[in-house]
Amino acid sequence: MATKSKKGSVWTSLPMQMMYGLILGVVVGAFISSEFATTWLQPLGTLFIRLIRMVVVPLVLATLIAGSAGLGNASKIGSIAIETILTFAVTTAIAVTIGLIVANLMDPGQGLNISTEGLQAKSATAPPLSQVLVEIVPINPVEALGKGNMLQVIFFAIMFGFCVSSMGGKAEMLTEFFQKVGDVMIKMTNIVMIYAPIGVFGLIAYTVTQHGLAVLLPLGKLILTAFVATVLFVCITYLPIIKIIGLNVLTYLKGIFEPWLIAFTTCSSAAALAVNLEASRKLGASKAIASFVIPLGNTINMNGTSIYMGVTAVFAAEVFGMDLTLTQQFEIVLMGVLAAVGTAGVPGAGLIMTTLVFTEIGIPLEAVALIAGVDRILDMIRTSVNVLGDSLTALLVSKFEGTLGKEPFETELEVQDPIG
């Protein structure tokens, strides 16, 4: 992205336009009826989410194939994959543990007099781990692409990229092809992002009309607990990683602000995928590693969702007068790590995975319907953290592999910013 020379141009940049959409959405949502918002404003947000979901599958496929093919030989791919998965697993375990600790200290469900009468939530049964692992392998890759089954798409893309890499120079044309397809999809995503401020306005205005202060105030302690746990996790986990990488904290926060804001306002890590790739590259991640780690993390690295699972489990147990044993809380940690693998980068997916956790430890599912009243606020918090985790992992693995800052950001992507 070219450097802006005009002094006031920052106020018309895409992140600022999205902030304007966010603020305007809150103001408008406070004064209009829910019927008007549902009829006229919700479709604006729904259209934006559909546009993003239109581009995310081919974007993930192309970037993962190009990234896997560009990593080098089999041992190189193996070391990068192990470093990536270990970082994902460790940070996710830390996240859900912090969520549980903070929730136990703050007791978000204690003293709340909230009626659960009439609340209903659909039951969900957690599939066996063996079934989850087997179904990662697609029977028909085309069907997986059509249905948007991201785990199957990721498996096929990584395997395809590995095979391309193993063929060396013979398949160099394929590597270049998928690199260009990835560039085209980023270009398409950036064109879609022109519409983002309008989409954010529609989403936020509709949310405010549906979940006003009357709902937020009784559950304010739950929101505060999730926020405190998230801030603590960022300080304990992310800040040291930024130091290990060798970046200034303010420099990193400035560089990652745009994808963070997109994730925060849309509640969709998929919406921030292309911008997160670009931001991570500018901060020093190598192109191959960023193209491998960030699409992968978009599906299986859910630190914010893991914090949410820990906090909401304790909250729900307290609302229903249950005492969670250490064994049950350990189960929540394990379930948080495993459930994060299956949480798609779309709005509200974390609430669905929470149903699986509640079922596993015996919490009444009425609690899910209760939490759903403020889930949009919680979703904004957790999704923005998920995006930061993907970016930091790409930078950290680049640091481990000695490629951090070694590849200048390619100017070929500058033309892809439609805002200028």
Side-chain angles (χ1 to χ4, degrees):
M1 186 184 300
T3 303
K4 293 176 172 55
S5 57
K6 296 181 181 179
K7 184 177 180 180
S9 60
V10 66
W11 299 104
T12 58
S13 64
L14 178 60
M16 289 308 301
Q17 289 182 40
M18 293 180 65
M19 284 295 292
Y20 302 149
L22 173 64
I23 296 169
L24 186 61
V26 171
V27 173
V28 172
F31 291 98
I32 62 175
S33 66
S34 59
E35 292 80 7
F36 180 87
T38 301
T39 303
W40 298 104
L41 299 185
Q42 186 186 18
L44 298 178
T46 302
L47 175 60
F48 177 57
I49 297 299
R50 290 180 68 91
L51 286 169
I52 289 297
R53 296 186 70 177
M54 174 186 73
V55 300
V56 71
V57 172
L59 173 63
V60 168
L61 178 71
T63 54
L64 263 181
I65 290 176
S68 301
L71 290 178
N73 56 44
S75 61
K76 186 89 169 174
I77 294 173
S79 67
I80 291 173
I82 290 172
E83 290 165 0
T84 300
I85 299 299
L86 280 178
T87 303
F88 288 168
V90 170
T91 54
T92 298
I94 293 173
V96 69
T97 301
I98 288 176
L100 285 169
I101 292 173
V102 172
N104 277 290
L105 291 174
M106 295 186 66
D107 294 325
Q110 290 285 344
L112 290 182
N113 185 20
I114 301 175
S115 174
T116 57
E117 185 179 352
L119 292 175
Q120 293 183 350
K122 293 182 179 179
S123 177
T125 303
L129 179 60
S130 58
Q131 179 183 338
V132 174
L133 295 176
V134 168
E135 290 184 353
I136 289 176
V137 181
I139 297 176
N140 183 348
V142 176
E143 182 183 16
L145 288 167
K147 291 184 176 180
N149 189 321
M150 295 309 297
L151 282 177
Q152 293 185 356
V153 171
I154 285 172
F155 180 88
F156 175 77
I158 291 176
M159 191 169 183
F160 191 96
F162 173 79
C163 293
V164 171
S165 176
S166 67
M167 293 179 66
K170 297 178 182 178
E172 185 176 351
M173 183 179 66
L174 268 179
T175 303
E176 293 179 356
F177 170 76
F178 282 106
Q179 285 175 345
K180 296 302 180 185
V181 171
D183 290 343
V184 170
M185 294 313 303
I186 292 175
K187 170 70 173 178
M188 185 180 293
T189 303
N190 281 326
I191 291 174
V192 168
M193 291 309 298
I194 297 175
Y195 179 74
I198 300 173
V200 167
F201 164 74
L203 288 170
I204 298 300
Y206 171 74
T207 299
V208 171
T209 62
Q210 296 298 312
H211 311 295
L213 291 178
V215 176
L216 297 181
L217 289 178
L219 298 174
K221 197 172 182 182
L222 171 61
I223 298 172
L224 178 62
T225 303
F227 177 76
V228 170
T230 300
V231 171
L232 189 61
F233 170 75
V234 169
C235 293
I236 291 176
T237 308
Y238 286 173
L239 292 184
I241 291 178
I242 294 173
K243 290 296 184 182
I244 291 172
I245 293 169
L247 286 175
N248 178 276
V249 173
L250 291 179
T251 300
Y252 174 75
L253 293 178
K254 182 179 179 181
I256 205 67
F257 178 73
E258 186 172 342
W260 174 87
L261 181 61
I262 293 171
F264 180 78
T265 52
T266 65
C267 297
S268 172
S269 52
L273 177 56
V275 182
N276 202 17
L277 272 168
E278 187 173 337
S280 300
R281 286 283 292 113
K282 289 181 179 179
L283 287 167
S286 70
K287 184 172 184 178
I289 291 176
S291 297
F292 175 81
V293 172
I294 291 178
L296 182 63
N298 195 258
T299 300
I300 70 172
N301 185 37
M302 300 289 173
N303 298 154
T305 303
S306 299
I307 295 171
Y308 164 86
M309 287 179 182
V311 170
T312 53
V314 173
F315 167 80
E318 290 178 346
V319 167
F320 285 94
M322 298 173 57
D323 290 323
L324 294 179
T325 65
L326 286 177
T327 301
Q328 287 176 314
Q329 296 198 35
F330 180 69
E331 286 182 29
I332 294 172
V333 174
L334 291 179
M335 286 290 292
V337 174
L338 295 175
V341 174
T343 304
V346 297
L351 190 65
I352 298 170
M353 300 311 298
T354 300
T355 304
L356 300 180
V357 175
F358 285 7
T359 302
E360 183 70 19
I361 61 178
I363 294 176
L365 290 179
E366 286 78 9
V368 176
L370 181 63
I371 294 166
V374 293
D375 186 64
R376 181 73 189 192
I377 306 298
L378 298 172
D379 204 356
M380 295 168 81
I381 297 172
R382 65 180 181 255
T383 305
S384 55
V385 174
N386 291 342
V387 167
L388 295 182
D390 297 343
S391 169
L392 282 173
T393 302
L395 291 166
L396 185 63
V397 173
S398 295
K399 174 76 171 181
F400 290 156
E401 294 297 318
T403 59
L404 184 68
K406 298 293 179 63
E407 299 177 11
F409 180 69
E410 296 177 7
T411 56
E412 64 184 73
L413 294 184
E414 290 181 0
V415 296
Q416 296 174 350
D417 180 7
I419 303 302

